[in-house]
Amino acid sequence: MSNEPHNTDVAIIGAGPVGLFAVFQCGMLNMSCHVIDALDSPGGQCTALYPEKPIFDIPGYPEIMAGDLVEKLGQQAAPFDPVYHFGQQVEKLTPSDGNGWQVDTSAGTRINAAAVIIAAGVGAFGPNRPPIEGIEQYEGHPPGHGVHYLVLRREDYRGRRVVIAGGGDSAVDWALSLSELAASVAVVHRRSKFRAAPESGQRLKQLADDGVVDLVIPFQLHGLEGVGGELRAVIVSDLDGNQRRLEADVLLPFFGLSQNLGPIADWGLNLHRNHIAVEPDTCIAGRPGIFAIGDIVTYPGKLKLILTGFAEAASAAHAIYPLVHPGEALHFEYSTTKGIPERR
Ligand SMILES: Cc1cc2nc3c(=O)[nH]c(=O)nc-3n(C[C@H](O)[C@H](O)[C@H](O)COP(=O)(O)OP(=O)(O)OC[C@H]3O[C@@H](n4cnc5c(N)ncnc54)[C@H](O)[C@@H]3O)c2cc1C
């Protein structure tokens, strides 16, 4: 144990959009929070996977960049002084001696909390890597060079020769977007049909017809060429073994996310196909004092949307209130009635 344990009302596992909004909801009910995330910054999938993509279905925002939404959620939570613990994974959840739970992280942080909210999204997520020998030597280069599994800043690809691999929405959307500024864009897919939204697929085909994008189909990744870990070309092959060499500064493989609950699978919760089954009205997760919200939960009719997770955060906070304030009646109040505290 590196430090003295922390004590708080609610420990929130995951600082994705839903975990951040849970801080606000708990704060409005006079409950303090510590938030732990394995990543180095808040925002979960919004920050790690698509910070510069616009989201169109956040109520009240006709359009908002994912990164900007995270920024605003952080501002909304700030008056309640949450304590964040980044870059550490929650490994153990143990019942406390008194009431509540003891949360232990990979960095040796211990937090005692009356209740725990698991807002861990898809768990420990990471990209599915293509099985290419020696690919590691091209990973971890600055954006715009080497092999990258996500685009954090579109500008980094200006003037680059980009090869995109995959046939889903990410592959097609980024091909459309980067074709506006890259030196060249080639899309490698092993089938002639794409799994992307039909309108996007149509736009990609048009760009290919206009000679703006090179559609390399049906081909798949075969190998990489470079010097000193610096990518120079991507080798692709078709089913008959015919090969093509695509000059490239960067390869963006979009083969989806690997989903791994990690340590959460060992916490004795109601699991159903890599998700935590909850009662939707309370989001209780099968053990007293443990609640789960956001992408990680399942119940009949669950929609994996940020706005659904926001509503679950409100339900969980209300269900937690009697655990933190036993014997105190909770009078339901609108935020317009009670306002929010000034930031200390
Ligand atoms: C490309 C793309 C576009 C999308 N577009 C939309 C859209 O337009 N509208 C919409 O509503 N949704 C969209 N989504 C889905 C949306 O991003 C998710 O529904 C949302 O991020 C779920 O939020 P969350 O807080 O539940 O989980 P996440 O955002 O996944 O965050 C969970 C966090 O928990 C952390 N974590 C997990 N396990 C542990 C552990 N043991 N210890 C510590 N930390 C842990 C992770 O590091 C992560 O930061 C999109 C998703 C993608 C990938």
Side-chain angles (χ1 to χ4, degrees), residues 189-261:
H189 184 36
R190 65 197 159 102
R191 298 203 180 89
S192 49
K193 240 176 133 31
F194 285 85
R195 284 173 284 103
E199 195 196 315
S200 308
Q202 207 47 47
R203 281 176 58 208
L204 183 66
K205 189 171 173 313
Q206 188 59 53
L207 287 181
D209 291 347
D210 295 345
V212 178
V213 167
D214 184 8
L215 281 191
V216 187
I217 48 179
F219 275 83
Q220 49 194 10
L221 299 177
H222 182 80
L224 302 174
E225 263 181 39
V227 179
E230 199 170 288
L231 189 67
R232 297 282 163 84
V234 176
I235 312 299
V236 295
S237 63
D238 67 11
L239 280 178
D240 300 323
N242 301 311
Q243 292 195 354
R244 271 187 67 183
R245 182 179 183 278
L246 309 170
E247 304 246 320
D249 301 305
V250 55
L251 168 66
L252 298 170
F254 292 122
F255 296 128
L257 288 178
S258 67
Q259 194 171 320
N260 174 7
L261 277 185

Side-chain angles (χ1 to χ4, degrees), residues 82-306:
V83 180
Y84 293 102
H85 306 269
F86 287 116
Q88 41 197 305
Q89 194 179 40
V90 174
E91 290 183 333
K92 266 173 50 183
L93 262 192
T94 333
S96 293
D97 293 341
N99 280 333
W101 291 88
Q102 185 176 289
V103 176
D104 286 300
T105 80
S106 52
T109 305
R110 174 166 290 176
I111 299 162
N112 294 311
V116 174
I117 295 180
I118 303 174
V122 290
F125 61 85
N128 287 321
R129 300 159 94 205
I132 302 178
E133 214 181 304
I135 192 167
E136 320 76 51
Q137 63 182 298
Y138 301 102
E139 294 170 345
H141 283 262
H145 293 275
V147 176
H148 289 271
Y149 298 99
L150 57 107
V151 174
L152 287 180
R153 250 175 41 100
R154 185 173 171 268
E155 264 308 306
D156 292 330
Y157 298 86
R158 184 175 290 280
R160 306 276 176 224
R161 297 165 302 174
V162 178
V163 174
I164 292 174
D169 281 310
S170 293
V172 173
D173 288 353
W174 280 120
L176 297 176
S177 174
L178 296 182
S179 67
E180 292 168 12
L181 47 78
S184 65
V185 173
V187 181
V188 181
H189 184 36
R190 65 197 159 102
R191 298 203 180 89
S192 49
K193 240 176 133 31
F194 285 85
R195 284 173 284 103
E199 195 196 315
S200 308
Q202 207 47 47
R203 281 176 58 208
L204 183 66
K205 189 171 173 313
Q206 188 59 53
L207 287 181
D209 291 347
D210 295 345
V212 178
V213 167
D214 184 8
L215 281 191
V216 187
I217 48 179
F219 275 83
Q220 49 194 10
L221 299 177
H222 182 80
L224 302 174
E225 263 181 39
V227 179
E230 199 170 288
L231 189 67
R232 297 282 163 84
V234 176
I235 312 299
V236 295
S237 63
D238 67 11
L239 280 178
D240 300 323
N242 301 311
Q243 292 195 354
R244 271 187 67 183
R245 182 179 183 278
L246 309 170
E247 304 246 320
D249 301 305
V250 55
L251 168 66
L252 298 170
F254 292 122
F255 296 128
L257 288 178
S258 67
Q259 194 171 320
N260 174 7
L261 277 185
I264 298 169
D266 304 324
W267 297 344
L269 305 170
N270 292 335
L271 295 185
H272 182 69
R273 293 190 182 161
N274 264 338
H275 291 82
I276 302 173
V278 298
E279 304 288 337
D281 52 342
T282 57
C283 292
I284 195 150
R287 299 189 72 176
I290 301 189
F291 298 77
I293 58 178
D295 271 16
I296 197 154
V297 306
T298 183
Y299 50 80
K302 162 73 184 176
L303 291 176
K304 277 197 184 187
L305 286 174
I306 294 169

Side-chain angles (χ1 to χ4, degrees), residues 15-48:
V18 176
L20 292 176
F21 193 60
V23 174
F24 173 80
Q25 286 294 338
C26 289
M28 289 297 277
L29 299 184
N30 206 11
M31 299 187 290
S32 61
C33 295
H34 277 232
V35 187
I36 313 100
D37 202 298
L39 302 176
D40 290 330
S41 56
Q45 294 173 52
C46 292
T47 305

